[in-house]
């Protein structure tokens, strides 16, 4: 596709439910990043992949959060047993190389946990 | 861990005024530096980046930024802002090959 896409764009869920957020990076991009952005804050790093390998997951807040990129393309961020404090914008970005290069961001998924 | 500080949280300017947004980071080693912009209703876009070489970097839409290593700074500038520059601006820092750290953002409002 022309850019990074994310789905759903908006997700409202009840506390305790599991949610899966999807990111479809730009075709051919090696690196994929997940961020969480609270209102009035900058993006906060969660995790990133080079190809299918998860390189760094130090930003995941706890073990309810997990991410995968099984075929080195589409990635899924899963939040189990959601809590109200998980409400935020979840952003995905991809970049061309395994070494640092420009990140291209998707539109984000706005998650609201009731 | 890296930290990125943007001291101006909200800036209001009249059209044609000059702009300077501050960005400071904490890491003393080799870094790559970025400014991203988010226009209302849109997603984050790259304004400019610094990897190496000339510390004065030119970006899109007349923006520039200067890397001053001794001050750990990468301030964003524009000589004459326009109403269309109203947006949220984020500074970001990367330590080669590792995660990105973003500042908290500066909201710029330009009054026509």
């Amino acid at each position: 596709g022309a850019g990074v896409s994310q789905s759903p764009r908006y997700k409202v869920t009840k506390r305790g439910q599991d949610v899966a957020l999807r990111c479809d990076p730009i075709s051919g991009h090696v690196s994929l990043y997940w961020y969480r952005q609270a209102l009035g804050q900058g993006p906060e790093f969660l995790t990133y992949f080079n190809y299918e390998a998860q390189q760094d997951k130090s930003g995941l807040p706890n073990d309810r959060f997990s991410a995968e990129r099984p075929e080195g393309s589409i990635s899924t961020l899963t939040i189990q047993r959601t809590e109200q404090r998980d409400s935020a914008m979840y952003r995905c970005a991809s970049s061309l190389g395994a070494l640092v290069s420009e990140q291209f961001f998707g539109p984000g998924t706005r998650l609201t946990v009731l | 861990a890296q930290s990125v500080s943007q001291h101006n949280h909200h800036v209001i300017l009249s059209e044609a005024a000059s702009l300077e947004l501050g960005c400071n980071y904490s890491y003393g080693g080799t870094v790559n530096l970025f400014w991203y912009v988010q226009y209302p209703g849109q997603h984050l876009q790259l304004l400019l980046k610094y990897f190496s070489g000339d510390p004065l970097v030119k970006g899109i839409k007349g923006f520039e930024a200067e890397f001053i290593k001794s001050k750990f700074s990468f301030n964003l500038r524009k000589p004459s802002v326009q109403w269309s520059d109203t947006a949220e601006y984020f500074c970001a820092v990367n330590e080669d090959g590792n995660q990105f750290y973003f500042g908290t953002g500066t909201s710029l409002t330009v009054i026509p």
Side-chain angles (χ1 to χ4, degrees):
Chain A
V4 179
S5 61
Q6 291 185 246
S7 61
R9 293 289 308 277
Y10 302 91
K11 177 70 177 178
V12 180
T13 190
K14 291 182 179 179
R15 189 177 54 183
Q17 298 293 307
D18 297 350
V19 295
L21 311 180
R22 172 184 164 130
C23 173
D24 197 345
I26 293 173
S27 178
H29 275 198
V30 168
S31 300
L32 185 148
Y33 302 79
W34 282 101
Y35 295 90
R36 178 171 66 175
Q37 187 173 10
L39 205 59
Q41 300 294 316
E44 173 195 15
F45 170 82
L46 295 178
T47 185
Y48 89 97
F49 295 82
N50 285 336
Y51 300 102
E52 72 281 359
Q54 192 169 20
Q55 299 294 314
D56 184 344
K57 56 180 182 179
S58 63
L60 295 176
N62 52 61
D63 60 7
R64 295 186 298 105
F65 287 73
S66 62
E68 61 175 9
R69 193 187 185 197
E71 297 179 0
S73 179
I74 293 168
S75 177
T76 302
L77 176 70
T78 301
I79 309 173
Q80 295 179 310
R81 305 180 302 282
T82 52
E83 301 177 5
Q84 285 186 327
R85 59 179 172 155
D86 300 332
S87 297
M89 176 72 84
Y90 288 83
R91 298 193 184 275
C92 173
S94 69
S95 66
L96 188 59
L99 296 178
V100 66
S101 58
E102 176 184 350
Q103 294 189 8
F104 293 83
F105 281 82
T109 294
R110 169 71 67 186
L111 174 66
T112 302
V113 182
L114 302 176
Chain B
Q2 184 66 258
S3 71
V4 181
S5 299
Q6 291 182 243
H7 304 294
N8 314 104
H9 297 295
H10 197 166
V11 174
I12 302 173
L13 294 172
S14 298
E15 273 194 319
S18 64
L19 170 73
E20 180 160 2
L21 302 182
C23 174
N24 289 90
Y25 61 94
S26 60
Y27 183 64
T30 301
V31 292
N32 303 294
L33 299 158
F34 306 81
W35 276 97
Y36 282 85
V37 61
Q38 186 171 17
Y39 297 104
Q42 298 187 28
H43 50 83
L44 284 158
Q45 304 170 43
L46 183 70
L47 259 184
L48 47 79
K49 60 189 177 187
Y50 171 80
F51 288 171
S52 63
D54 188 345
L56 185 61
V57 180
K58 304 282 188 186
I60 60 172
K61 304 185 180 184
F63 286 91
E64 65 178 31
E66 184 174 13
F67 170 49
I68 303 179
K69 189 173 182 179
S70 61
K71 295 185 178 180
F72 299 92
S73 70
F74 190 56
N75 292 355
L76 180 71
R77 299 194 294 249
K78 185 171 183 178
S80 176
V81 294
Q82 301 172 313
W83 175 79
S84 58
D85 293 325
T86 294
E88 190 92 16
Y89 292 81
F90 294 94
C91 179
V93 175
N94 168 274
E95 304 164 24
D96 273 336
N98 294 312
Q99 61 174 279
F100 282 70
Y101 298 88
F102 281 79
T104 53
T106 297
S107 174
L108 172 65
T109 302
V110 180
I111 302 170

